[in-house]
Amino acid sequence: QAQLVESGGGLVLVGGSLRLSCAAPGHIFSANVMGWYRQAPGKQRELVADITTGGSPNYSDSVKGRFTISRDNAKNTVYLQMNSLKPEDTAVYYCNAAPRSSWYLYGYWGQGTQVTVSS
């Protein structure tokens, strides 16, 4: 039973935008680094961005300048605003909550949401 619930994926044209949302129970959200990971077919799951409980973001080089991660502590929700999307951004995007970024494998995961960027 997934405790993190993602939404907002879909099909978008190259150069378009999408916003992903991930809602978490309060006791998980407030105590953990919240992150977005993605996995494309035949590839390993990779970090897209994460954000500390204090609001400090961290981005992979591939999305820096195009994606923005944010967290709303009142709504226990983390967002990923994705702009200037490229075909290589196509993947299943997963929300993650972990006490530290390096512990992500042992954290909570959402069910994933598909993002498809079409040319």
Side-chain angles (χ1 to χ4, degrees):
Q1 180 179 348
Q3 299 196 57
L4 307 183
V5 181
E6 301 116 333
S7 60
L11 174 65
V12 64
L13 294 177
V14 170
S17 299
L18 282 174
R19 188 176 82 154
L20 305 183
S21 301
C22 171
H27 69 283
I28 292 176
F29 186 86
S30 62
N32 287 280
V33 174
M34 299 299 297
W36 287 98
Y37 291 75
R38 67 186 180 188
Q39 188 166 19
K43 295 189 176 182
Q44 289 189 333
R45 192 170 297 189
E46 63 175 1
L47 172 70
V48 176
D50 60 25
I51 186 167
T52 66
T53 54
S56 296
N58 173 56
Y59 300 95
S60 70
D61 288 343
S62 63
V63 307
K64 203 170 291 183
R66 300 188 297 123
F67 291 10
T68 301
I69 190 170
S70 61
R71 60 191 295 160
D72 186 331
N73 295 331
K75 295 182 178 180
N76 297 328
T77 300
V78 62
Y79 303 99
L80 185 69
Q81 178 66 44
M82 306 185 293
N83 298 329
S84 302
L85 283 160
K86 305 175 180 180
E88 51 263 44
D89 295 318
T90 296
V92 178
Y93 284 68
Y94 297 91
C95 182
N96 175 268
R100 303 178 69 169
S101 297
S102 57
W103 295 0
Y104 72 97
L105 285 175
Y106 309 105
Y108 298 93
W109 291 95
Q111 79 283 2
T113 185
Q114 176 71 45
V115 171
T116 303
V117 184
S118 174
S119 55

